[in-house]
């Protein structure tokens, strides 16, 4: 829970083979490190930081207070004071999750806004080019990206079959993307799970 540093960027990392993927999330950049510590590649999007508005701060505060359970209810006034006194950064972190599948595709989940109903994953190929973006419900917890599957849980039910079809479509879209789109760093493919 980010009550003491809401909207603060938190470093994320993932490994694949002999490589470490690391990003600080203060801007949209993920570095791929070799075993010797040298940088092999940088995956990035040319997007500036998103400003943190007063409306987003208010939504965060309301969400945090609404999630207060009965045991915390006695401290609601204290929590409101804590949240009211917090200093917030000027911008929102770029992302908050990073995964690498068994083919080396890099999956980066964009930082979700308060009360978001969906998350957006940016998917990059092994050369660092953006393949596509995948939008998933915020209630979906992705457990694993695999060669031919996406293992996820929504509530208590596994949702593999539906996501396997979507995942296969994503792989085909990325591999079939024209070179000009891949070189431009943006493939205009957005898949939405409904």
């Amino acid at each position: 829970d980010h009550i003491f540093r809401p909207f603060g960027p938190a470093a994320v990392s993932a490994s694949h083979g002999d490589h470490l993927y690391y990003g600080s999330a203060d801007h949209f950049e993920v570095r791929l490190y070799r075993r010797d510590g040298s940088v092999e590649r940088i995956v990035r999007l040319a997007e500036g930081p998103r400003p943190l508005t007063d409306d987003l701060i208010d939504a965060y505060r309301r969400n945090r207070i609404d999630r207060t359970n009965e045991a915390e209810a006695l401290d609601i006034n204290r929590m409101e004071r804590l949240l009211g006194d917090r200093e917030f950064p000027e911008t929102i972190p770029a992302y908050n999750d990073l995964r690498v599948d068994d083919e080396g595709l890099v999956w980066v989940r964009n930082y979700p806004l308060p009360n978001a109903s969906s998350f957006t994953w940016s998917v990059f190929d092994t050369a660092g080019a953006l393949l596509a973006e995948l939008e998933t419900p915020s209630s979906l917890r992705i457990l694993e990206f695999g060669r031919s599957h996406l293992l996820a849980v929504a509530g208590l039910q596994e949702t593999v079959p539906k996501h396997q079809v979507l995942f296969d479509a994503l792989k085909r879209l990325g591999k079939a993307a024209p070179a000009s789109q891949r070189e431009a760093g943006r493939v205009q493919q957005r898949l939405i799970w409904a």
Side-chain angles (χ1 to χ4, degrees):
D1 192 47
H2 296 282
I3 189 167
F4 295 109
R5 193 169 180 223
F7 297 104
V12 295
S13 63
S15 63
H16 181 257
D18 288 340
H19 294 89
L20 173 71
Y21 293 77
Y22 174 85
S24 64
D26 55 348
H27 56 286
F28 209 112
E29 178 178 290
V30 175
R31 293 176 178 253
L32 168 62
Y33 291 93
R34 295 181 188 97
R35 182 176 226 155
D36 67 5
S38 62
V39 176
E40 180 174 316
R41 178 172 42 268
I42 299 174
V43 174
R44 64 171 60 113
L45 288 180
E47 294 180 357
R50 294 182 292 171
L52 180 57
T53 65
D54 289 340
D55 288 343
L56 290 174
I57 292 171
D58 290 342
Y60 169 81
R61 287 177 174 146
R62 282 191 309 274
N63 181 304
R64 183 62 183 104
I65 289 169
D66 289 346
R67 290 186 305 147
T68 304
N69 63 33
E70 288 181 26
E72 296 172 317
L74 297 176
D75 292 330
I76 194 102
N77 291 333
R78 182 176 172 267
M79 185 179 303
E80 286 175 340
R81 278 194 316 277
L82 279 173
L83 292 171
D85 292 342
R86 274 304 142 229
E87 286 191 29
F88 289 87
E90 293 180 15
T91 60
I92 298 169
Y95 51 85
N96 70 342
D97 199 357
L98 169 66
R99 313 278 181 92
V100 182
D101 71 18
D102 55 357
E103 289 186 4
L105 297 184
V106 179
W107 298 74
V108 183
R109 186 174 74 185
N110 297 0
Y111 193 88
L113 300 179
N115 301 319
S117 61
S118 64
F119 295 141
T120 301
W121 290 84
S122 298
V123 187
F124 300 88
D125 68 13
T126 56
L130 181 67
L131 292 176
E133 292 179 328
L134 173 65
E135 188 174 322
T136 61
S138 59
S139 60
L140 186 74
R141 187 167 52 104
I142 297 179
L143 304 174
E144 174 183 287
F145 295 101
R147 180 177 303 277
S148 62
H149 68 281
L150 178 75
L151 180 60
V153 174
L156 299 176
Q157 298 181 4
E158 291 187 17
T159 57
V160 176
K162 188 171 193 176
H163 289 285
Q164 184 166 349
V165 171
L166 215 127
F167 183 80
D168 290 342
L170 177 66
K171 294 275 190 165
R172 283 193 303 278
L173 286 172
K175 290 178 181 170
S180 61
Q181 284 183 325
R182 293 179 74 160
E183 289 168 11
R186 270 272 187 218
V187 174
Q188 300 300 320
Q189 302 292 344
R190 185 164 181 90
L191 300 173
I192 300 174
W193 175 41

